[in-house]
Amino acid sequence: MNVGTNVSDDCVTEFNNLKLGKQYRYVIYRLDKDKNEIVVDHKGARDSTYAEFVSHLQNESRYAVYDYHAQTDDVPPRQIEKLVFIFWSPDTNQPVKQKMAYAAGKEALKKKLNGLSKEIQANEPSEVEEAEIKKTVLN
């Protein structure tokens, strides 16, 4: 079995609770301690802010889906809602093997999460700033 390719059923259930049930603002996923299954790490309440989401990203790789809402600069402005997949792989001291396991698991998770609109790969904090996410969503 390849490292990081199994996705727990809970990942899909909680994604659907975010997407269809509007129960969460975001869901963060991680590899379990044996690095062979992707599991839910944290769920953000519907009224969570983007800053709260960023504060839950660790100094280790994570996957996340954020239900991002933005307003265009059009006249009249339009409300845009997108499910953004974020692959957080910070340039820290995490072992190369761990980073590789996360990279290998990314596609397996994305295949299970139907309805993602945008994708961001972030390696440093500036790449997950809200302005960057908004720019991605509006383009």
Side-chain angles (χ1 to χ4, degrees):
M1 181 182 333
N2 291 339
V3 173
T5 55
N6 289 337
V7 178
S8 78
D9 292 340
D10 194 38
C11 291
V12 177
T13 299
E14 297 303 353
F15 171 76
N16 286 328
N17 288 338
L18 176 146
K19 180 177 116 178
L20 303 172
K22 302 291 185 186
Q23 293 180 19
Y24 312 116
R25 177 63 58 201
Y26 61 88
V27 179
I28 298 175
Y29 307 92
R30 65 174 171 79
L31 287 172
D32 68 1
K33 66 179 179 137
D34 297 324
K35 307 283 187 264
N36 61 9
E37 185 174 43
I38 299 170
V39 297
V40 173
D41 185 45
H42 183 78
K43 300 170 281 193
R46 194 73 191 152
D47 61 352
S48 296
T49 65
Y50 190 79
E52 290 170 319
F53 162 69
V54 171
S55 75
H56 283 97
L57 293 176
Q58 307 291 316
N59 287 328
E60 297 178 351
S61 296
R62 292 288 186 269
Y63 313 104
V65 176
Y66 193 95
D67 185 6
Y68 192 82
H69 298 206
Q71 198 167 36
T72 67
D73 293 330
D74 300 343
V75 178
R78 294 177 295 127
Q79 183 71 21
I80 304 287
E81 297 179 17
K82 300 284 184 182
L83 293 177
V84 181
F85 181 85
I86 300 167
F87 176 35
W88 171 243
S89 185
D91 293 329
T92 59
N93 295 337
Q94 66 181 324
V96 171
K97 192 172 184 178
Q98 181 177 340
K99 287 183 103 168
M100 289 174 58
Y102 270 91
K106 180 178 93 166
E107 290 304 317
L109 180 59
K110 283 176 48 184
K111 283 180 186 174
K112 297 275 188 171
L113 307 180
N114 295 318
L116 298 169
S117 301
K118 300 285 184 172
E119 179 181 342
I120 293 172
Q121 178 166 335
N123 301 99
E124 57 184 61
S126 66
E127 295 172 329
V128 289
E129 288 178 357
E130 188 167 7
E132 289 299 312
I133 303 301
K134 185 175 183 179
K135 185 167 60 173
T136 299
V137 166
L138 294 178
N139 289 331

